Amino acid sequence: MSLSLDDVSRIARLSRIAVTPDELAATQNQLNRILHLIDEMRAVDTTGIEPMAHAQDVFLRLREDAATAPDRRAAFQAVAPAVENGLYLVPKVIE
Amino acid sequence: MKTVKQLSAALASGQVSAVELAQDYLARIGQLNPTLNAFITVDADKTLAEARAADAARAAGNAGLLTGVPVAHKDIFCAEGWKTTCASKMLDNFVAPYDATVIANAKAAGLVTLGRANMDEFAMGSSNENSFYGAVKNPWDLNAVPGGSSGGSAAAVAAGLAPFATGTDTGGSIRQPASFCGITGIKPTYGVVSRYGMIAYASSLDQGGAFAHTAEDCALLLNVMAGFDDKDSTSLEHAKEDYTRDLNQPLAGVKVGLPREYFAEGLADDVAAAIEAAVTELKKLGATVVDVSLPNTKLAIPSYYVIAPAEASSNLSRFDGVRYGHRAADYDGLADMYEKTRAEGFGWEVKRRILTGTYVLSHGYYDAYYLQAQKIRRIIANDFVAAFNDCDVILGPVAPTTAWNLGEKSDDPVAMYLADIYTLGVNLAGLPALSIPVGFGKSVDGKAGRPVGLQIIGNYLGEAKMLNVAHQFQQATDWHTKAPQL
């Protein structure tokens, strides 16, 4: 499986990472080398094998439905790029 | 080079105070860090405040075994009030507003933070060259990489800038730098050390652990770090253990398995020779050697390099320039802000893994890549289960070669990935493993050879047994006492 330049642009868009036209060819080359490495496993017969999503058979624990975390909004927003009146500021998304 | 055990005794007897000890280490960091680049952040005022608190606790009769012992923390563990960067431009301005559980446990034990250790950006790398703050140098040879991703932690301990250090291991990131830097490093069973506040790379593989000169010191630090944590949904509900409890057990009757695939083509002769000498030493100590097989070892590489990037692409979607971290200066709308923020904030290895992960999870490719990788993960884990029917621990090399030169593989991600062959399987299976120094490789560029590490892989929750084997080896040999000339 080889990625075209269009494929790389599409993946970059899905990843929300700007890749400039200058960077595109080098990125394509390196991703294709990585995919070539990964492709080694595609031919392995895995019929009947249960996928292993996790290192252990984990079950999500449940806890009491009670508030446990204190209000630390000021501390958390102190590291935000842009806030006002306790709200995070982002570019306008709806005109 | 002082061990933690010796420092603990010196503090208990009043021979040295926590403040004096912190000052000694800070002075050595001041002298050597400009060369080694093992620390991203050092803050003497904070360190000395913690040291004074440790001395006060001791004066009040509240000292524990490790109160006042200094530690370096990998810059991946959030620590309130400390800049926590994960070696990324994305978090260059991030001062953590809370403590990771590992940090909280270290504080509760009275450990004194010496600083924040350098690493590969977001723990992605095997050479510590992928840091926004520059590469770390190997204290044994300044032309060599220290290994990664916890390269700063390993280099700091090896160079005597810290008596022990925390790290994380997703695909070998504790064992491989421990091996390259000639020290001891342990990655416990998945779920033993809490991931709360440990910045996530690949959540089903990430596991915190410890670096020190000796297995005994690693056991002491693991005693502090480990334990069930309800803030981590995958933390093991497992009673607290004393990892030092079996250190002094004799090795007579212990069965060590040698997987033939770990000694096959691709293993450098000098590494093989050092590992074989170590196995001979363990036999002298009473261990029995058995031949075992991990037939799908080679498939760990493609399986890992699908699963880890897939999880990374999801985990790192949180870095969007909205709630914390870097935000691009100029943008046109929300999507443009995300794309420019992430293009500027992430380095190329991180971008490659996010792009790879996005691709293998994308529509039409999920089954062929992600699901197939998870099935192979099961096959690999089953191989380990079968091997442990015949032995108590598995031994092998940590890496196919000793540390390579800085820059040697930095333009070739695939060459770097291939060097992870002996460490990835352990993470996929969720097993514990450690690395101990067992010698040096052949001379490089006319200079002394670089360290070789022996990997000891344990069964699930078999940390105490692994540490027992490592400690007994270290009682009979002196490789762990060797220090680089700096």
Side-chain angles (χ1 to χ4, degrees):
Chain A
M1 187 71 206
S2 266
L3 299 177
S4 67
L5 288 174
D6 282 349
D7 292 332
V8 176
S9 297
R10 184 181 61 87
I11 297 163
R13 204 163 49 248
L14 287 172
S15 304
R16 294 284 185 265
I17 294 174
V19 176
T20 65
D22 299 353
E23 298 164 339
L24 209 53
T27 307
Q28 176 199 30
N29 175 37
Q30 289 190 317
L31 289 182
N32 277 331
R33 296 197 54 212
I34 293 167
L35 288 178
H36 180 71
L37 177 79
I38 292 169
D39 276 342
E40 282 173 28
M41 73 171 191
R42 293 186 68 184
V44 177
D45 182 5
T46 53
T47 315
I49 306 279
E50 186 70 18
M52 181 173 168
H54 217 275
Q56 263 112 31
D57 293 327
V58 283
F59 302 92
L60 287 180
R61 284 187 301 278
L62 300 175
R63 63 166 174 82
E64 289 290 306
D65 186 15
T68 51
D71 175 12
R72 300 202 54 216
R73 186 174 73 180
F76 292 153
Q77 292 200 331
V79 290
V83 288
E84 198 176 295
N85 299 327
L87 303 171
Y88 293 98
L89 299 187
V90 294
K92 195 184 271 188
V93 278
I94 301 169
E95 291 300 330
Chain B
M1 213 68 81
K2 288 270 199 312
T3 64
V4 170
K5 202 185 170 203
Q6 288 164 335
L7 296 177
S8 163
L11 285 160
S13 70
Q15 194 190 328
V16 68
S17 71
V19 167
E20 288 165 340
L21 204 51
Q23 283 167 335
D24 284 354
Y25 278 102
L26 287 171
R28 193 162 164 86
I29 292 169
Q31 181 199 344
L32 290 173
N33 198 52
T35 307
L36 296 171
N37 201 25
F39 286 90
I40 291 173
T41 304
V42 178
D43 185 329
D45 290 344
K46 274 199 178 63
T47 300
L48 292 172
E50 289 184 24
R52 281 192 295 273
D55 283 333
R58 189 174 295 282
N62 296 327
L65 184 64
L66 300 179
T67 299
V69 176
V71 65
H73 287 302
K74 186 175 183 179
D75 208 15
I76 197 170
F77 294 104
C78 287
E80 188 167 354
W82 285 85
K83 200 168 85 153
T84 300
T85 69
C86 235
S88 181
K89 180 180 177 185
M90 187 62 90
L91 291 175
D92 182 46
N93 60 3
F94 180 69
V95 176
Y98 71 105
D99 280 337
T101 296
V102 162
I103 299 292
N105 289 349
K107 279 186 184 170
L111 297 182
V112 173
T113 311
L114 283 171
R116 310 283 303 174
N118 204 344
M119 54 184 283
D120 279 303
E121 183 181 3
F122 287 107
M124 299 179 194
S126 313
S127 68
N128 214 130
E129 293 168 295
N130 302 329
S131 167
F132 177 62
Y133 304 94
V136 176
K137 308 274 176 65
N138 189 317
W140 290 92
D141 185 337
L142 299 177
N143 292 326
V145 300
S149 68
S150 313
S153 299
V157 172
L161 308 188
F164 58 18
T166 56
T168 61
D169 190 316
T170 304
S173 286
I174 288 175
R175 291 158 286 154
Q176 187 253 25
S179 171
F180 282 12
C181 289
I183 61 167
T184 305
I186 183 168
K187 168 228 175 296
T189 305
Y190 182 86
V192 161
V193 169
S194 171
R195 293 185 298 106
Y196 178 74
M198 190 176 107
I199 296 169
Y201 156 28
S203 303
S204 80
L205 304 164
D206 294 341
Q207 179 59 206
F211 292 96
H213 289 289
T214 67
E216 183 172 30
D217 286 358
C218 279
L220 293 172
L221 183 51
L222 197 55
N223 277 350
V224 171
M225 295 175 76
F228 171 69
D229 180 14
D230 63 8
K231 296 196 193 87
D232 171 359
S233 63
T234 60
S235 179
L236 278 183
E237 296 189 53
H238 176 67
K240 192 101 179 151
E241 284 188 49
D242 174 8
Y243 294 103
T244 66
R245 68 180 186 275
D246 290 335
L247 291 176
N248 294 316
Q249 296 292 322
L251 293 190
V254 171
K255 280 196 277 186
V256 304
L258 301 183
R260 62 190 85 110
E261 295 79 7
Y262 281 34
F263 295 87
E265 191 193 343
L267 180 64
D269 291 344
D270 55 345
V271 175
I275 299 294
E276 280 157 22
V279 171
T280 304
E281 183 65 39
L282 287 168
K283 276 199 241 178
K284 274 202 275 177
L285 294 171
T288 317
V289 171
V290 295
D291 178 44
V292 296
S293 179
L294 298 169
N296 297 291
T297 295
K298 278 188 181 162
L299 291 177
I301 297 174
S303 175
Y304 176 89
Y305 281 100
V306 169
I307 291 170
E311 295 186 16
S313 73
S314 170
N315 272 325
L316 273 66
S317 64
R318 73 191 60 180
F319 299 103
D320 56 4
V322 174
R323 288 153 302 157
Y324 42 75
H326 177 74
R327 179 188 283 197
D330 300 306
Y331 43 82
D332 180 18
L334 190 62
D336 194 47
M337 185 187 88
Y338 291 151
E339 292 187 2
K340 283 189 177 142
T341 292
R342 290 162 63 81
E344 293 171 9
F346 293 138
W348 272 104
E349 182 57 26
V350 174
K351 288 182 194 177
R352 275 193 291 273
R353 294 198 195 189
I354 293 173
L355 293 168
T356 305
T358 301
Y359 177 67
V360 299
L361 290 174
S362 65
H363 182 70
Y365 300 99
Y366 183 93
D367 286 5
Y369 286 111
Y370 187 60
L371 216 57
Q372 175 76 347
Q374 288 190 326
K375 289 176 181 175
I376 289 171
R377 181 178 186 178
R378 171 86 56 195
I379 293 173
I380 288 166
N382 288 346
D383 285 349
F384 279 105
V385 171
F388 277 119
N389 285 330
D390 298 325
C391 60
D392 301 306
V393 293
I394 293 173
L395 303 185
V398 174
T401 64
T402 57
W404 54 85
N405 287 335
L406 287 157
E408 191 176 328
K409 298 183 197 228
S410 46
D411 296 330
D412 189 352
V414 168
M416 196 91 87
Y417 297 174
L418 291 170
D420 297 337
I421 182 157
Y422 305 130
T423 50
L424 299 175
V426 160
N427 300 80
L428 290 168
L431 291 164
L434 58 74
S435 173
I436 51 170
V438 295
F440 294 87
K442 64 177 191 299
S443 156
V444 181
D445 303 331
K447 287 191 280 188
R450 296 168 182 173
V452 176
L454 169 74
Q455 182 169 213
I456 304 178
I457 303 171
N459 211 335
Y460 294 103
L461 298 171
E463 286 81 1
K465 173 56 69 185
M466 277 160 32
L467 287 161
N468 167 223
V469 174
H471 180 68
Q472 289 303 307
F473 180 85
Q474 292 182 336
Q475 295 303 104
T477 59
D478 66 354
W479 297 113
H480 61 290
T481 66
K482 309 273 187 214
Q485 297 295 317
L486 282 161

PDB file of all heavy atoms in Angstrom, chain A residues 21-46:
ATOM      1  N   PRO A  21       3.189  22.609   1.271  1.00  0.00           N
ATOM      2  CA  PRO A  21       3.549  21.935   0.018  1.00  0.00           C
ATOM      3  C   PRO A  21       5.008  21.474   0.010  1.00  0.00           C
ATOM      4  O   PRO A  21       5.317  20.396  -0.496  1.00  0.00           O
ATOM      5  CB  PRO A  21       3.287  22.998  -1.047  1.00  0.00           C
ATOM      6  CG  PRO A  21       2.253  23.895  -0.445  1.00  0.00           C
ATOM      7  CD  PRO A  21       2.523  23.897   1.024  1.00  0.00           C
ATOM      8  N   ASP A  22       5.905  22.270   0.628  1.00  0.00           N
ATOM      9  CA  ASP A  22       7.333  21.889   0.697  1.00  0.00           C
ATOM     10  C   ASP A  22       7.562  20.612   1.487  1.00  0.00           C
ATOM     11  O   ASP A  22       8.509  19.874   1.234  1.00  0.00           O
ATOM     12  CB  ASP A  22       8.167  22.971   1.413  1.00  0.00           C
ATOM     13  CG  ASP A  22       8.112  24.279   0.707  1.00  0.00           C
ATOM     14  OD1 ASP A  22       7.539  24.310  -0.393  1.00  0.00           O
ATOM     15  OD2 ASP A  22       8.628  25.267   1.261  1.00  0.00           O
ATOM     16  N   GLU A  23       6.723  20.411   2.502  1.00  0.00           N
ATOM     17  CA  GLU A  23       6.942  19.279   3.408  1.00  0.00           C
ATOM     18  C   GLU A  23       6.265  18.006   2.922  1.00  0.00           C
ATOM     19  O   GLU A  23       6.519  16.925   3.431  1.00  0.00           O
ATOM     20  CB  GLU A  23       6.383  19.614   4.810  1.00  0.00           C
ATOM     21  CG  GLU A  23       7.057  20.791   5.482  1.00  0.00           C
ATOM     22  CD  GLU A  23       6.255  21.352   6.660  1.00  0.00           C
ATOM     23  OE1 GLU A  23       5.016  21.114   6.734  1.00  0.00           O
ATOM     24  OE2 GLU A  23       6.855  22.046   7.493  1.00  0.00           O
ATOM     25  N   LEU A  24       5.390  18.160   1.941  1.00  0.00           N
ATOM     26  CA  LEU A  24       4.499  17.060   1.564  1.00  0.00           C
ATOM     27  C   LEU A  24       5.247  15.837   1.019  1.00  0.00           C
ATOM     28  O   LEU A  24       4.977  14.704   1.427  1.00  0.00           O
ATOM     29  CB  LEU A  24       3.490  17.572   0.527  1.00  0.00           C
ATOM     30  CG  LEU A  24       2.122  16.898   0.507  1.00  0.00           C
ATOM     31  CD1 LEU A  24       1.475  16.893   1.884  1.00  0.00           C
ATOM     32  CD2 LEU A  24       1.208  17.592  -0.496  1.00  0.00           C
ATOM     33  N   ALA A  25       6.218  16.050   0.142  1.00  0.00           N
ATOM     34  CA  ALA A  25       6.890  14.918  -0.505  1.00  0.00           C
ATOM     35  C   ALA A  25       7.716  14.118   0.512  1.00  0.00           C
ATOM     36  O   ALA A  25       7.693  12.889   0.528  1.00  0.00           O
ATOM     37  CB  ALA A  25       7.786  15.410  -1.638  1.00  0.00           C
ATOM     38  N   ALA A  26       8.429  14.832   1.401  1.00  0.00           N
ATOM     39  CA  ALA A  26       9.236  14.143   2.409  1.00  0.00           C
ATOM     40  C   ALA A  26       8.325  13.362   3.354  1.00  0.00           C
ATOM     41  O   ALA A  26       8.636  12.233   3.758  1.00  0.00           O
ATOM     42  CB  ALA A  26      10.072  15.147   3.187  1.00  0.00           C
ATOM     43  N   THR A  27       7.192  13.957   3.700  1.00  0.00           N
ATOM     44  CA  THR A  27       6.244  13.281   4.587  1.00  0.00           C
ATOM     45  C   THR A  27       5.703  12.026   3.911  1.00  0.00           C
ATOM     46  O   THR A  27       5.603  10.955   4.535  1.00  0.00           O
ATOM     47  CB  THR A  27       5.087  14.242   4.944  1.00  0.00           C
ATOM     48  OG1 THR A  27       5.648  15.455   5.448  1.00  0.00           O
ATOM     49  CG2 THR A  27       4.176  13.640   6.000  1.00  0.00           C
ATOM     50  N   GLN A  28       5.372  12.160   2.636  1.00  0.00           N
ATOM     51  CA  GLN A  28       4.872  11.005   1.878  1.00  0.00           C
ATOM     52  C   GLN A  28       5.904   9.874   1.877  1.00  0.00           C
ATOM     53  O   GLN A  28       5.576   8.719   2.153  1.00  0.00           O
ATOM     54  CB  GLN A  28       4.588  11.438   0.431  1.00  0.00           C
ATOM     55  CG  GLN A  28       4.156  10.300  -0.480  1.00  0.00           C
ATOM     56  CD  GLN A  28       4.334  10.645  -1.965  1.00  0.00           C
ATOM     57  OE1 GLN A  28       5.220  11.409  -2.339  1.00  0.00           O
ATOM     58  NE2 GLN A  28       3.474  10.086  -2.796  1.00  0.00           N
ATOM     59  N   ASN A  29       7.150  10.229   1.621  1.00  0.00           N
ATOM     60  CA  ASN A  29       8.226   9.233   1.574  1.00  0.00           C
ATOM     61  C   ASN A  29       8.359   8.512   2.908  1.00  0.00           C
ATOM     62  O   ASN A  29       8.429   7.275   2.959  1.00  0.00           O
ATOM     63  CB  ASN A  29       9.529   9.959   1.184  1.00  0.00           C
ATOM     64  CG  ASN A  29      10.720   9.025   1.220  1.00  0.00           C
ATOM     65  OD1 ASN A  29      10.598   7.854   0.857  1.00  0.00           O
ATOM     66  ND2 ASN A  29      11.851   9.524   1.667  1.00  0.00           N
ATOM     67  N   GLN A  30       8.360   9.254   4.003  1.00  0.00           N
ATOM     68  CA  GLN A  30       8.555   8.613   5.310  1.00  0.00           C
ATOM     69  C   GLN A  30       7.338   7.795   5.723  1.00  0.00           C
ATOM     70  O   GLN A  30       7.483   6.698   6.256  1.00  0.00           O
ATOM     71  CB  GLN A  30       8.913   9.656   6.353  1.00  0.00           C
ATOM     72  CG  GLN A  30      10.338  10.163   6.083  1.00  0.00           C
ATOM     73  CD  GLN A  30      10.888  11.004   7.180  1.00  0.00           C
ATOM     74  OE1 GLN A  30      10.175  11.844   7.704  1.00  0.00           O
ATOM     75  NE2 GLN A  30      12.150  10.816   7.526  1.00  0.00           N
ATOM     76  N   LEU A  31       6.147   8.305   5.464  1.00  0.00           N
ATOM     77  CA  LEU A  31       4.955   7.513   5.806  1.00  0.00           C
ATOM     78  C   LEU A  31       4.914   6.228   4.990  1.00  0.00           C
ATOM     79  O   LEU A  31       4.542   5.170   5.502  1.00  0.00           O
ATOM     80  CB  LEU A  31       3.673   8.330   5.568  1.00  0.00           C
ATOM     81  CG  LEU A  31       3.410   9.481   6.541  1.00  0.00           C
ATOM     82  CD1 LEU A  31       2.083  10.163   6.215  1.00  0.00           C
ATOM     83  CD2 LEU A  31       3.409   9.012   7.995  1.00  0.00           C
ATOM     84  N   ASN A  32       5.304   6.299   3.738  1.00  0.00           N
ATOM     85  CA  ASN A  32       5.304   5.081   2.921  1.00  0.00           C
ATOM     86  C   ASN A  32       6.312   4.055   3.422  1.00  0.00           C
ATOM     87  O   ASN A  32       6.057   2.857   3.378  1.00  0.00           O
ATOM     88  CB  ASN A  32       5.541   5.413   1.443  1.00  0.00           C
ATOM     89  CG  ASN A  32       4.237   5.823   0.765  1.00  0.00           C
ATOM     90  OD1 ASN A  32       3.153   5.378   1.177  1.00  0.00           O
ATOM     91  ND2 ASN A  32       4.327   6.673  -0.242  1.00  0.00           N
ATOM     92  N   ARG A  33       7.444   4.533   3.908  1.00  0.00           N
ATOM     93  CA  ARG A  33       8.427   3.595   4.476  1.00  0.00           C
ATOM     94  C   ARG A  33       7.862   2.952   5.743  1.00  0.00           C
ATOM     95  O   ARG A  33       8.042   1.761   5.979  1.00  0.00           O
ATOM     96  CB  ARG A  33       9.741   4.321   4.774  1.00  0.00           C
ATOM     97  CG  ARG A  33      10.386   4.851   3.487  1.00  0.00           C
ATOM     98  CD  ARG A  33      11.843   5.190   3.694  1.00  0.00           C
ATOM     99  NE  ARG A  33      12.532   4.039   4.235  1.00  0.00           N
ATOM    100  CZ  ARG A  33      13.562   4.105   5.069  1.00  0.00           C
ATOM    101  NH1 ARG A  33      14.017   5.267   5.455  1.00  0.00           N
ATOM    102  NH2 ARG A  33      14.141   3.016   5.501  1.00  0.00           N
ATOM    103  N   ILE A  34       7.169   3.734   6.554  1.00  0.00           N
ATOM    104  CA  ILE A  34       6.569   3.183   7.779  1.00  0.00           C
ATOM    105  C   ILE A  34       5.476   2.173   7.406  1.00  0.00           C
ATOM    106  O   ILE A  34       5.402   1.081   7.972  1.00  0.00           O
ATOM    107  CB  ILE A  34       6.019   4.327   8.669  1.00  0.00           C
ATOM    108  CG1 ILE A  34       7.181   5.174   9.213  1.00  0.00           C
ATOM    109  CG2 ILE A  34       5.170   3.773   9.817  1.00  0.00           C
ATOM    110  CD1 ILE A  34       6.765   6.495   9.844  1.00  0.00           C
ATOM    111  N   LEU A  35       4.656   2.527   6.421  1.00  0.00           N
ATOM    112  CA  LEU A  35       3.583   1.609   6.018  1.00  0.00           C
ATOM    113  C   LEU A  35       4.148   0.322   5.431  1.00  0.00           C
ATOM    114  O   LEU A  35       3.594  -0.759   5.635  1.00  0.00           O
ATOM    115  CB  LEU A  35       2.650   2.290   5.006  1.00  0.00           C
ATOM    116  CG  LEU A  35       1.751   3.369   5.605  1.00  0.00           C
ATOM    117  CD1 LEU A  35       0.905   4.022   4.521  1.00  0.00           C
ATOM    118  CD2 LEU A  35       0.856   2.795   6.701  1.00  0.00           C
ATOM    119  N   HIS A  36       5.265   0.439   4.746  1.00  0.00           N
ATOM    120  CA  HIS A  36       5.922  -0.748   4.198  1.00  0.00           C
ATOM    121  C   HIS A  36       6.323  -1.695   5.337  1.00  0.00           C
ATOM    122  O   HIS A  36       6.132  -2.909   5.265  1.00  0.00           O
ATOM    123  CB  HIS A  36       7.137  -0.331   3.371  1.00  0.00           C
ATOM    124  CG  HIS A  36       7.882  -1.474   2.776  1.00  0.00           C
ATOM    125  ND1 HIS A  36       7.378  -2.229   1.741  1.00  0.00           N
ATOM    126  CD2 HIS A  36       9.070  -2.033   3.101  1.00  0.00           C
ATOM    127  CE1 HIS A  36       8.233  -3.191   1.447  1.00  0.00           C
ATOM    128  NE2 HIS A  36       9.269  -3.103   2.269  1.00  0.00           N
ATOM    129  N   LEU A  37       6.852  -1.118   6.403  1.00  0.00           N
ATOM    130  CA  LEU A  37       7.230  -1.902   7.590  1.00  0.00           C
ATOM    131  C   LEU A  37       5.995  -2.569   8.202  1.00  0.00           C
ATOM    132  O   LEU A  37       6.011  -3.745   8.568  1.00  0.00           O
ATOM    133  CB  LEU A  37       7.896  -0.971   8.608  1.00  0.00           C
ATOM    134  CG  LEU A  37       8.296  -1.573   9.955  1.00  0.00           C
ATOM    135  CD1 LEU A  37       9.603  -2.342   9.809  1.00  0.00           C
ATOM    136  CD2 LEU A  37       8.474  -0.489  11.015  1.00  0.00           C
ATOM    137  N   ILE A  38       4.932  -1.793   8.308  1.00  0.00           N
ATOM    138  CA  ILE A  38       3.707  -2.292   8.926  1.00  0.00           C
ATOM    139  C   ILE A  38       3.062  -3.391   8.074  1.00  0.00           C
ATOM    140  O   ILE A  38       2.466  -4.342   8.597  1.00  0.00           O
ATOM    141  CB  ILE A  38       2.714  -1.114   9.130  1.00  0.00           C
ATOM    142  CG1 ILE A  38       3.235  -0.148  10.195  1.00  0.00           C
ATOM    143  CG2 ILE A  38       1.338  -1.623   9.513  1.00  0.00           C
ATOM    144  CD1 ILE A  38       2.450   1.145  10.257  1.00  0.00           C
ATOM    145  N   ASP A  39       3.208  -3.255   6.767  1.00  0.00           N
ATOM    146  CA  ASP A  39       2.554  -4.202   5.844  1.00  0.00           C
ATOM    147  C   ASP A  39       2.999  -5.645   6.054  1.00  0.00           C
ATOM    148  O   ASP A  39       2.301  -6.574   5.666  1.00  0.00           O
ATOM    149  CB  ASP A  39       2.793  -3.782   4.385  1.00  0.00           C
ATOM    150  CG  ASP A  39       1.789  -2.735   3.931  1.00  0.00           C
ATOM    151  OD1 ASP A  39       0.741  -2.603   4.601  1.00  0.00           O
ATOM    152  OD2 ASP A  39       2.044  -2.056   2.923  1.00  0.00           O
ATOM    153  N   GLU A  40       4.195  -5.815   6.706  1.00  0.00           N
ATOM    154  CA  GLU A  40       4.678  -7.173   6.970  1.00  0.00           C
ATOM    155  C   GLU A  40       3.672  -8.019   7.736  1.00  0.00           C
ATOM    156  O   GLU A  40       3.675  -9.238   7.654  1.00  0.00           O
ATOM    157  CB  GLU A  40       5.964  -7.115   7.810  1.00  0.00           C
ATOM    158  CG  GLU A  40       7.193  -6.759   7.039  1.00  0.00           C
ATOM    159  CD  GLU A  40       8.380  -6.568   7.976  1.00  0.00           C
ATOM    160  OE1 GLU A  40       8.399  -7.182   9.051  1.00  0.00           O
ATOM    161  OE2 GLU A  40       9.264  -5.782   7.604  1.00  0.00           O
ATOM    162  N   MET A  41       2.834  -7.356   8.517  1.00  0.00           N
ATOM    163  CA  MET A  41       1.936  -8.151   9.373  1.00  0.00           C
ATOM    164  C   MET A  41       0.621  -8.481   8.670  1.00  0.00           C
ATOM    165  O   MET A  41      -0.145  -9.304   9.145  1.00  0.00           O
ATOM    166  CB  MET A  41       1.643  -7.394  10.664  1.00  0.00           C
ATOM    167  CG  MET A  41       0.720  -6.243  10.434  1.00  0.00           C
ATOM    168  SD  MET A  41       0.101  -5.425  11.876  1.00  0.00           S
ATOM    169  CE  MET A  41      -1.148  -4.443  11.013  1.00  0.00           C
ATOM    170  N   ARG A  42       0.387  -7.873   7.504  1.00  0.00           N
ATOM    171  CA  ARG A  42      -0.952  -8.024   6.902  1.00  0.00           C
ATOM    172  C   ARG A  42      -1.179  -9.426   6.380  1.00  0.00           C
ATOM    173  O   ARG A  42      -2.316  -9.882   6.289  1.00  0.00           O
ATOM    174  CB  ARG A  42      -1.163  -6.977   5.813  1.00  0.00           C
ATOM    175  CG  ARG A  42      -1.220  -5.583   6.409  1.00  0.00           C
ATOM    176  CD  ARG A  42      -1.575  -4.540   5.393  1.00  0.00           C
ATOM    177  NE  ARG A  42      -2.946  -4.658   4.923  1.00  0.00           N
ATOM    178  CZ  ARG A  42      -3.447  -3.880   3.962  1.00  0.00           C
ATOM    179  NH1 ARG A  42      -2.684  -2.978   3.371  1.00  0.00           N
ATOM    180  NH2 ARG A  42      -4.701  -4.033   3.582  1.00  0.00           N
ATOM    181  N   ALA A  43      -0.078 -10.101   6.013  1.00  0.00           N
ATOM    182  CA  ALA A  43      -0.222 -11.437   5.442  1.00  0.00           C
ATOM    183  C   ALA A  43      -0.406 -12.520   6.513  1.00  0.00           C
ATOM    184  O   ALA A  43      -0.705 -13.666   6.184  1.00  0.00           O
ATOM    185  CB  ALA A  43       1.010 -11.757   4.594  1.00  0.00           C
ATOM    186  N   VAL A  44      -0.241 -12.161   7.786  1.00  0.00           N
ATOM    187  CA  VAL A  44      -0.318 -13.174   8.853  1.00  0.00           C
ATOM    188  C   VAL A  44      -1.763 -13.667   8.994  1.00  0.00           C
ATOM    189  O   VAL A  44      -2.704 -12.875   9.011  1.00  0.00           O
ATOM    190  CB  VAL A  44       0.170 -12.573  10.195  1.00  0.00           C
ATOM    191  CG1 VAL A  44       0.036 -13.591  11.322  1.00  0.00           C
ATOM    192  CG2 VAL A  44       1.606 -12.088  10.072  1.00  0.00           C
ATOM    193  N   ASP A  45      -1.909 -14.989   9.071  1.00  0.00           N
ATOM    194  CA  ASP A  45      -3.250 -15.565   9.228  1.00  0.00           C
ATOM    195  C   ASP A  45      -3.700 -15.404  10.678  1.00  0.00           C
ATOM    196  O   ASP A  45      -3.117 -15.997  11.585  1.00  0.00           O
ATOM    197  CB  ASP A  45      -3.219 -17.046   8.833  1.00  0.00           C
ATOM    198  CG  ASP A  45      -4.598 -17.680   8.940  1.00  0.00           C
ATOM    199  OD1 ASP A  45      -5.588 -16.949   9.217  1.00  0.00           O
ATOM    200  OD2 ASP A  45      -4.701 -18.912   8.762  1.00  0.00           O
ATOM    201  N   THR A  46      -4.712 -14.599  10.903  1.00  0.00           N
ATOM    202  CA  THR A  46      -5.195 -14.359  12.262  1.00  0.00           C
ATOM    203  C   THR A  46      -6.642 -14.832  12.424  1.00  0.00           C
ATOM    204  O   THR A  46      -7.361 -14.351  13.303  1.00  0.00           O
ATOM    205  CB  THR A  46      -5.100 -12.863  12.627  1.00  0.00           C
ATOM    206  OG1 THR A  46      -5.779 -12.114  11.603  1.00  0.00           O
ATOM    207  CG2 THR A  46      -3.662 -12.395  12.717  1.00  0.00           C
TER     208      THR A  46
END
